Amino acid sequence: MIETREAISEKTVLIGIITQHQDEKQSEEYLDELEFLTLTAGGVAVKRFVQKLDKPHPKTFIGTGKLEDVKAYIESNEIGTAIFDDELSPAQLRNIERFLDCKILDRTNLILDIFASRAQTSSAKAQVELAQYQYLLPRLTRMWTHLDKQKGGIGMRGPGETEIETDRRIIRDKISLLKKKLTTIDKQMSVQRKNRGKMVRVALVGYTNVGKSTLMNVVSKSEVFAENKLFATLDTTVRKVVIKNIPFLMTDTVGFIRKLPTQLVESFKSTLDEVREADLLLHVVDISHPNFEDHIASVNKILDEIDSKDKPTVMVFNKIDAYTHETIDEDDLITEKTKEHSTLEDWKRTWMNDLETESIFISALNKDNLENFKEKAYEEVKKIHIQRFPYNDFLYQEY
C-alpha cells in the first residue's frame, strides 16, 4: 500500500497548461477563475505552475520535469493540495498523487466540492451527490486506497469517506437510488410548476457571480442569499413580481461556468428545467469582468445544450458601478486602442447595439438604471402576456 501524507493545510498550488487550443492569456484567465474557485472552497492559492505543451501529458498531465518543480515547492512550503485546471483521467490522478504525495484535485472535483458545501435542500443535495458518485465511480481504485488517510478539507466533502463505498456495486446502487429519488423530485417540481398557472415565467441566467441574486432581491423585494463568491445560489428560488399591473414569476437559477462538469449538467436537470420552461430569459452579465464576452459565450453554449438559446432574451449588463477602463494618453500616438480602453458608451455602440435581443445597463447593487430595467422587463413580459391573455386589455393601460 502506498503511504500517503495527510493534507497539511489548505494552502494550495494551481497547475495549468498552455496549448495550441489555450494560449497564455486564456490560461491565465482560467487560473484566475480557478483561484477564485479555490477561495470559495476555503483554500488559499499560494503559487501557480504553468507549462507550455502541445497537449496534456497522458500520464502526468504536465511533464515530469515540471512535476519535479511542483514537488520541490510543495515539500519546502508544506503545501497540502495541488489543484489542476482541467479534469484529470483516473490514471493521471493516480500517477500524480503517487509522485507528489499530497491531496490532488482537478477543476471538476473542486466545483463538485463547492456544490456539496452550498447545497441546502434535499433536491440540491441529491443532485450534487449523484454528480459526485458519477465522478468518483471510475476513480474508485485511487480514491478508496487513500481517502482513509486524507482528513477532510476541500475536495473531501460528501461521498467517499466511509469504508462501505469501496465496493463498486454499492456505488452503482447508490447512483441508481439517487436517480430514482431525483425522478420523484422532478415529478414534484413539475407539479409545482403546473400549479403556478399560466403566469409568465422569467428566468435569471448567467455566469456565476454576476449578480443574479442581488438583482432578484431588488426586483422582488425578497431576501435570496447573495455573496461575492462563486455558486452562492444552488437552489432555484421563485418569486412573484408585479411591475405596474402585470404579475409574473421570476426565477433565480444556478450560475454557469466555463468547463462546467458534465455530471452537474446531467444531475441538475430539474433545476435547468426552470430555464427550459421559462417564457423570457434575463441574461445577466458582469460587465466589469475583463472576460465578460467569454462568459456570455459559455452561458450561450450551455443554453444551447439545454435547448433554450432561442428563447426571448434581454441582455442585462450589470455592475456598471464597478466598470473601469484604461485611458489612452492622447500624446502617445503609438498606443493602439483595445477593448480594455473602451468606455461603457463605447461598448453600447458595438455589437451590443446590433443584437436582436434587447440590452440594458444597470447596477443592481446601487440600483442604478433600475427603473429602465423594470420598464424593459415590463415591455417584454407584456408582449408574452398579451399573447396569453388577449382579453385583459385593461392591464395594458399606461400608468
Side-chain angles (χ1 to χ4, degrees):
M1 182 180 291
I2 300 170
E3 290 297 325
T4 305
R5 184 175 69 245
E6 272 188 29
I8 297 170
S9 70
E10 290 304 283
K11 290 195 299 182
T12 69
V13 294
L14 308 182
I15 301 166
I17 56 175
I18 299 169
T19 66
Q20 54 187 346
H21 303 297
Q22 181 174 292
D23 60 26
E24 186 173 350
K25 184 177 180 182
Q26 286 176 316
S27 177
E28 185 179 353
E29 291 169 3
Y30 290 155
L31 286 176
D32 285 343
E33 192 168 81
L34 190 67
E35 183 170 347
F36 199 2
L37 284 166
T38 302
L39 177 66
T40 300
V44 179
V46 295
K47 188 173 176 61
R48 298 179 179 186
F49 291 90
V50 181
Q51 186 173 31
K52 198 170 187 177
L53 296 169
D54 289 336
K55 59 182 180 180
H57 194 288
K59 292 184 178 180
T60 54
F61 189 73
I62 55 175
T64 52
K66 179 63 74 173
L67 210 56
E68 288 279 6
D69 295 342
V70 175
K71 183 175 183 179
Y73 186 85
I74 285 174
E75 291 178 346
S76 61
N77 292 273
E78 295 190 330
I79 304 298
T81 308
I83 304 178
F84 288 75
D85 189 43
D86 286 281
E87 185 169 322
L88 300 173
S89 69
Q92 287 173 329
L93 203 55
R94 186 169 58 250
N95 294 334
I96 294 168
E97 187 177 56
R98 184 183 293 119
F99 191 90
L100 294 183
D101 193 22
C102 71
K103 187 197 301 181
I104 307 299
L105 302 178
D106 58 19
R107 188 184 183 94
T108 298
N109 199 352
L110 183 61
I111 292 174
L112 288 173
D113 179 75
I114 294 170
F115 270 58
S117 68
R118 297 284 176 148
Q120 298 296 322
T121 65
S122 60
S123 173
K125 287 177 181 177
Q127 290 174 108
V128 173
E129 195 176 356
L130 174 60
Q132 285 181 309
Y133 279 128
Q134 289 172 329
Y135 171 81
L136 294 179
L137 185 59
R139 297 165 175 81
L140 282 177
T141 304
R142 168 257 171 189
M143 295 298 291
W144 308 151
T145 302
H146 303 301
L147 277 179
D148 59 330
K149 301 195 174 190
Q150 294 178 332
K151 313 298 183 188
I154 58 174
M156 294 296 121
R157 299 182 182 96
E161 297 176 16
T162 58
E163 190 175 356
I164 194 171
E165 278 134 12
T166 58
D167 190 328
R168 288 180 183 272
R169 179 181 56 79
I170 293 176
I171 296 297
R172 291 194 182 99
D173 288 345
K174 291 256 186 188
I175 290 174
S176 179
L177 286 171
L178 283 167
K179 284 184 175 179
K180 288 178 181 178
K181 181 178 180 180
L182 285 171
T183 299
T184 302
I185 292 173
D186 287 349
K187 288 179 181 178
Q188 292 171 347
M189 295 179 73
S190 178
V191 171
Q192 288 176 4
R193 285 193 289 267
K194 287 179 181 176
N195 288 342
R196 292 170 193 159
K198 295 183 179 180
M199 290 180 70
V200 176
R201 297 185 200 168
V202 177
L204 294 168
V205 298
Y207 211 71
T208 181
N209 202 43
V210 295
K212 296 187 299 298
S213 297
T214 302
L215 182 58
M216 176 83 156
N217 287 338
V218 172
V219 175
S220 66
K221 298 178 182 177
S222 58
E223 293 297 327
V224 178
F225 180 70
E227 186 182 14
N228 186 28
K229 284 189 176 181
L230 303 182
F231 303 116
T233 301
L234 285 193
D235 298 299
T236 300
T237 306
V238 182
R239 294 287 183 269
K240 182 179 178 181
V241 177
V242 180
I243 298 181
K244 297 186 180 180
N245 217 24
I246 298 184
F248 60 92
L249 296 175
M250 180 174 281
T251 305
D252 186 16
T253 62
V254 61
F256 299 149
I257 196 168
R258 286 176 290 198
K259 303 180 184 179
L260 186 69
T262 53
Q263 297 94 337
L264 280 174
V265 175
E266 180 184 343
S267 65
F268 268 71
K269 175 184 175 296
S270 59
T271 299
L272 296 174
D273 277 345
E274 293 285 352
V275 178
R276 288 191 190 95
E277 297 185 17
D279 301 299
L280 173 69
L281 302 182
L282 300 180
H283 185 164
V284 185
V285 180
D286 176 4
I287 197 168
S288 70
H289 196 289
N291 311 121
F292 72 85
E293 288 183 292
D294 289 342
H295 293 177
I296 293 172
S298 298
V299 172
N300 285 338
K301 181 175 181 291
I302 295 172
L303 288 176
D304 192 31
E305 289 174 4
I306 62 175
D307 300 322
S308 299
K309 191 177 179 182
D310 296 327
K311 288 182 178 291
T313 304
V314 175
M315 299 295 295
V316 183
F317 295 96
N318 190 27
K319 302 190 182 182
I320 58 173
D321 57 303
Y323 181 82
T324 57
H325 64 279
E326 296 178 13
T327 56
I328 299 179
D329 187 347
E330 293 182 1
D331 296 330
D332 188 357
L333 300 178
I334 299 175
T335 302
E336 180 183 356
K337 183 165 183 176
T338 65
K339 291 180 178 180
E340 287 75 18
H341 300 117
S342 298
T343 65
L344 281 175
E345 292 305 315
D346 291 333
W347 276 114
K348 291 176 184 179
R349 290 192 293 268
T350 62
W351 56 268
M352 297 176 185
N353 193 42
D354 299 328
L355 287 174
E356 292 182 5
T357 53
E358 300 287 345
S359 298
I360 192 83
F361 292 76
I362 68 166
S363 168
L365 187 64
N366 292 350
K367 301 182 181 179
D368 295 337
N369 212 18
L370 202 61
E371 289 307 312
N372 286 344
F373 164 77
K374 289 181 178 179
E375 183 64 32
K376 180 62 65 179
Y378 168 78
E379 289 297 330
E380 294 301 316
V381 169
K382 186 171 80 170
K383 292 177 187 175
I384 301 167
H385 208 274
I386 289 173
Q387 292 176 345
R388 192 165 296 173
F389 306 105
Y391 46 83
N392 284 358
D393 292 337
F394 71 92
L395 285 175
Y396 319 125
Q397 303 298 322
E398 293 299 324
Y399 290 86

